[in-house]
Amino acid sequence: MSELRDLEAISREFGYSRGVMAASIAHCFKVLKPHLKPGRILELGPAEGLMTAMLLGVGTPVTVVEGSKAFCDQIKADHPEVDVVHALFEDYAPEGRFDNIVLGHVLEHVVDPAALLRRVKAWLSPGGIVFAAVPNARSLHRQAAVIMGLLASEDALNQSDVQHGHRRVFSPESFRNAFYQAGLTVEHFGGYWLKPLSNGQIEANWTEAMVEAFMQLGERYPDVAGEIYVLASARAET
């Protein structure tokens, strides 16, 4: 299948476990952790498994679904207690439901985000939560790139997006709209990592303390943060 072949090729060049992206994933978990419900956790698209290791620390069963066999093998070796499923999200059919479903940097990769979220809704236990995080088109560094002529528009795909197999860059509005289309209720929208420069520039010049400060600043200014997230549920609007 071409989609699985593409995922294997991307996995060989993936860089989410390195540099400032590792700090971003760690901060994403800090944002997510207070919202986790007791019970089963499903993580879609774990890649190298950085978030997986943090989710295991919660002490409840974790299942991951990943389209790259290389990543699946890595997670099995690192975390034998995890239930690892090698499959495309569109082909996954779980046994039972989950209390927490986590999609970290997933929706920018898939063909139809709303369609995936509709599937996710059916896998959710009553009272469960869906948490998703994606890069933000309105991030300060993207706005600056447009002004400098480096990007045609804030939501244009840059070289890093193409390398990592991104199909789109969400704005805050288009991100929330995917959940509305799926029939999910957005309980909370937020952001983290106020990002004025590219990853490479930050890694070359910033200290860990600077990175952490700007991670937290992004929580104050989610509309222009580098990363945005949604916490959603299947409950009906009242």
Side-chain angles (χ1 to χ4, degrees):
M1 186 180 295
S2 62
E3 189 77 7
L4 286 173
R5 286 197 300 270
D6 290 345
L7 288 169
E8 291 301 335
I10 290 167
S11 71
R12 289 192 290 270
E13 300 296 331
F14 219 66
Y16 277 177
S17 66
R18 299 188 293 270
V20 74
M21 283 309 304
S24 175
I25 293 170
H27 198 86
C28 182
F29 178 72
K30 290 180 185 177
V31 170
L32 163 63
K33 187 177 180 181
H35 301 288
L36 289 172
K37 305 287 186 180
R40 301 175 71 203
I41 298 173
L42 171 66
E43 183 187 10
L44 300 182
E48 296 101 327
L50 287 187
M51 176 69 80
T52 309
M54 299 172 201
L55 292 170
L56 280 170
V58 176
T60 57
V62 176
T63 298
V64 301
V65 179
E66 171 58 58
S68 163
K69 186 176 185 301
F71 284 154
C72 285
D73 291 344
Q74 180 178 338
I75 293 173
K76 286 178 183 178
D78 293 342
H79 308 291
E81 66 271 46
V82 174
D83 180 15
V84 179
V85 180
H86 177 219
L88 294 175
F89 308 139
E90 294 82 358
D91 298 331
Y92 178 55
E95 296 181 3
R97 297 193 177 195
F98 297 90
D99 304 284
N100 308 275
I101 302 180
V102 179
L103 302 89
H105 282 246
V106 165
L107 294 177
E108 67 269 32
H109 291 267
V110 301
V111 173
D112 189 336
L116 175 58
L117 288 171
R118 280 191 288 271
R119 291 179 62 81
V120 164
K121 181 182 179 182
W123 305 338
L124 200 60
S125 299
I129 59 108
V130 178
F131 178 91
V134 298
N136 182 12
R138 203 167 291 144
S139 173
L140 287 180
H141 81 291
R142 284 185 171 270
Q143 294 190 51
V146 172
I147 293 171
M148 290 187 291
L150 301 176
L151 281 179
S153 63
E154 293 169 3
D155 62 355
L157 297 176
N158 61 28
Q159 182 179 355
S160 178
D161 292 320
V162 174
Q163 176 186 348
H164 289 97
H166 296 178
R167 286 185 161 98
R168 67 193 58 79
V169 188
F170 286 99
S171 68
E173 293 80 16
S174 63
F175 185 39
R176 290 191 294 262
N177 191 50
F179 289 83
Y180 299 143
Q181 290 179 18
L184 287 161
T185 297
V186 174
E187 303 286 354
H188 180 71
F189 166 82
Y192 55 96
W193 194 6
L194 194 64
K195 182 180 175 184
L197 302 170
S198 70
N199 289 2
Q201 290 167 318
I202 290 171
E203 289 166 0
N205 296 288
W206 287 26
T207 65
E208 289 184 13
M210 292 169 68
V211 171
E212 176 58 25
F214 277 79
M215 289 289 173
Q216 294 184 35
L217 281 171
E219 296 184 47
R220 299 185 187 181
Y221 308 104
D223 192 61
V224 295
E227 308 284 330
I228 49 179
Y229 68 89
V230 157
L231 184 74
S233 72
R235 73 177 183 87
E237 294 281 7
T238 57

